[in-house]
Amino acid sequence: MRIRSVLNAVSAILSCAVVTSAQSPDPIGTIYSGHVPANLHGSDYHYPWPVKLFNFYNQRQKLSMAFMDVPASRKSNKGKTAVLLHGGNFCGVTWSDTARQLSAAGYRVILPDDIGFCKSSKPQGYSYNVHQQALNINSLLTVLGIDHATIIGHSMGGMIAARYGLMYPDSVDQLFLVDPLGLEDWVAKGVPFLSIDATYESQVVQNFSSLKAYEAASYFHNATWKPEYDTWVQMLADIYAGDQGSEYAYVMALVTDALLSQPVIYQLPNLQMRTYLMVGENDVTALGKAWSPMSVAATLGHYSTLGPAAAALIPNLLFSWLD
């Protein structure tokens, strides 16, 4: 998958107040739109729009979900909203080019950082399953007063987007799944169990070189890495090297453990809304491939077959390849 191809493809198809408990007897949370520090929860990457915080209580913890709320820059599609969900090695800001194009097309655009990622809280004792992340996104939209949206997700975000469509079908105008994870059952194919502690040890030593090597091999298989992709690697490397690097590494271990057990392939026939599935021919991402026996690893991440097989399961679908 080439990142710019993803951004352009999605855009082509679609062509500072505080919410308080006084507005609801049982508030989900509040929106803070005041000043936030440049280094927020371990991430000092510059975001092009003001960062707001969705503060809420979940799993017996006070949490903050960072997000950007980009208004529509013209009146067409008035009242339409697009929500862009990032992948596991990315942040909401990765969607910036797409957000600009959607804003220009008349969409209000919401770009959240999932709990555990980027500028959001990184709780250590937390269930990072995709149902919970989808619920968190829905809670954010509810507090923002958004009852319908186009949901767009890439990689892990695509897995969460699919789950969102299954959980909240009446709230989704259309669904875009861009190289989503979960199109195969990794454990059923033989990926062995790896403890969270072992996964943490492999994550806590990550740096720019190791991250770039992984992304080049997984996202750009048989493709050319371009210098402009380095900024997203550096964004991630700086979190690992920052004051919450150890916490972030442990979150990645918890996330990996959760995702492995929750493939969405079995539920795709239940999606009701118009769905766009985009699969990149250069993406060979597969959870667990790194610690699987060679005989198992060789069977994983074959999107040339996974994509069409998933497409055949979704009732109301448009399928396309990304080069």
Side-chain angles (χ1 to χ4, degrees):
M1 179 208 69
R2 297 179 184 174
I3 296 173
R4 193 165 297 279
S5 297
V6 171
L7 306 182
N8 291 337
V10 172
S11 300
I13 291 173
L14 287 175
S15 323
C16 275
V18 176
V19 179
T20 68
S21 59
Q23 295 177 283
S24 170
D26 185 21
I28 298 173
T30 62
I31 302 298
Y32 172 75
S33 56
H35 172 75
V36 298
N39 188 333
L40 185 61
H41 293 296
S43 172
D44 61 2
Y45 193 86
H46 174 71
Y47 283 21
W49 296 281
V51 174
K52 300 182 180 183
L53 300 177
F54 170 44
N55 297 319
F56 63 110
Y57 188 76
N58 181 246
Q59 295 185 27
R60 303 180 69 181
Q61 302 177 72
K62 293 181 179 179
L63 303 175
S64 291
M65 178 188 289
F67 69 99
M68 291 177 285
D69 188 346
V70 185
S73 61
R74 66 187 183 94
K75 297 300 182 182
S76 63
N77 292 316
K78 185 177 181 181
K80 296 288 187 179
T81 300
V83 181
L84 308 182
L85 305 180
H86 63 82
N89 283 328
F90 301 97
C91 302
V93 69
T94 313
W95 285 109
S96 294
D97 286 348
T98 301
R100 292 185 183 93
Q101 295 179 57
L102 293 176
S103 174
Y107 283 81
R108 178 185 182 183
V109 185
I110 307 297
L111 302 100
D113 286 347
D114 285 324
I115 290 297
F117 293 81
C118 308
K119 293 184 182 293
S120 292
S121 298
K122 296 171 177 60
Q124 302 294 281
Y126 194 75
S127 174
Y128 285 96
N129 66 77
V130 291
H131 298 81
Q132 181 63 67
Q133 296 285 24
L135 188 153
N136 292 344
I137 298 299
N138 183 256
S139 296
L140 167 64
L141 298 184
T142 299
V143 173
L144 290 174
I146 299 170
D147 56 10
H148 284 83
T150 290
I151 307 296
I152 304 168
H154 163 241
S155 193
M156 179 195 73
M159 194 171 174
I160 296 171
R163 183 59 56 191
Y164 192 99
L166 293 164
M167 293 172 65
Y168 308 104
D170 295 335
S171 299
V172 180
D173 294 328
Q174 51 192 336
L175 185 65
F176 286 78
L177 308 178
V178 183
D179 273 347
L181 291 180
L183 298 186
E184 59 185 330
D185 189 331
W186 306 285
V187 175
K189 287 186 172 182
V191 171
F193 173 74
L194 188 68
S195 72
I196 290 173
D197 289 333
T199 306
Y200 165 75
E201 292 299 332
S202 71
Q203 289 293 315
V204 76
V205 295
Q206 294 281 15
N207 56 39
F208 181 89
S209 296
S210 62
L211 291 166
K212 182 175 179 178
Y214 170 80
E215 294 190 15
S218 299
Y219 308 153
F220 298 90
H221 182 68
N222 291 329
T224 301
W225 182 273
K226 296 182 180 180
E228 56 262 37
Y229 304 153
D230 284 353
T231 186
W232 306 125
V233 181
Q234 193 64 60
M235 172 184 69
L236 198 61
D238 287 345
I239 300 175
Y240 279 103
D243 57 5
Q244 292 194 28
S246 179
E247 289 85 351
Y248 188 63
Y250 191 68
V251 166
M252 293 303 100
L254 294 174
V255 168
T256 300
D257 186 69
L259 296 183
L260 275 168
S261 64
Q262 295 190 302
V264 295
I265 186 66
Y266 304 119
Q267 288 81 46
L268 293 182
N270 297 326
L271 289 173
Q272 301 174 18
M273 66 291 301
R274 182 63 168 167
T275 302
Y276 298 81
L277 175 62
M278 301 178 181
V279 175
E281 60 186 13
N282 296 315
D283 192 333
V284 295
T285 306
L287 292 184
K289 183 189 292 187
W291 68 81
S292 293
M294 290 183 62
S295 59
V296 172
T299 69
L300 305 175
H302 295 292
Y303 286 88
S304 59
T305 55
L306 294 175
L313 297 175
I314 302 174
N316 190 11
L317 176 96
L318 177 67
F319 175 75
S320 67
W321 290 100
L322 296 170
D323 56 20

